[in-house]
């Protein structure tokens, strides 16, 4: 008996400030990458699908983007941060080492 299937992995690539095409608000958008992999006996072997999306944090609208657009958005985000990554603000009473 051979057991096969698929599993999806979701990666958050960046947080961007964009004007939403759905609600029209300038809001934070998450840039995500979803990779679907073929599995054999519950072991992921190879990817067969990769999709990129942005999701508005204000209204929740999700929009598909191409790989080239996703790379371009990431490059813009890194240039805006000065290449040092995103600064995280600590909330009162929050452990800075726990996410």
């Amino acid at each position: 008996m051979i057991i096969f299937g698929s599993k999806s992995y979701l990666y958050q690539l960046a947080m961007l400030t964009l004007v939403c095409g759905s609600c029209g608000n300038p809001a934070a958008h998450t840039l995500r990458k979803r990779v679907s992999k073929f599995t054999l006996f519950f072991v992921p072997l190879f990817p067969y699908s990769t999709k990129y999306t942005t999701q508005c944090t204000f209204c929740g609208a999700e929009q598909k983007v191409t790989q080239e657009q996703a790379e371009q958005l990431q490059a813009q985000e890194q240039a805006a941060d000065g290449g040092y990554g995103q600064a995280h603000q600590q909330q009162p009473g929050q452990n800075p080492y726990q996410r």
Side-chain angles (χ1 to χ4, degrees), residues 2 5-7 12 15 17 31 33 44 46 49 52 58 67 69 84 98:
I2 297 177
S6 67
K7 184 173 181 176
Q12 182 173 323
M15 284 297 279
T17 302
L31 177 62
K33 175 182 175 180
F46 58 88
S49 172
Y52 295 88
F58 188 80
Q67 181 179 358
Q69 290 171 329
Y84 293 108
Q98 183 181 13

Side-chain angles (χ1 to χ4, degrees), residues 16-27:
L16 310 162
T17 302
L18 303 170
V19 176
C20 181
S22 181
C23 66
N25 290 313

Side-chain angles (χ1 to χ4, degrees), residues 12-17 28 77 81 83-89 99:
Q12 182 173 323
L13 302 176
M15 284 297 279
L16 310 162
T17 302
E77 190 249 349
D81 285 343
Y84 293 108
Q86 196 171 5
H88 297 284
Q89 292 182 347
R99 295 200 181 241

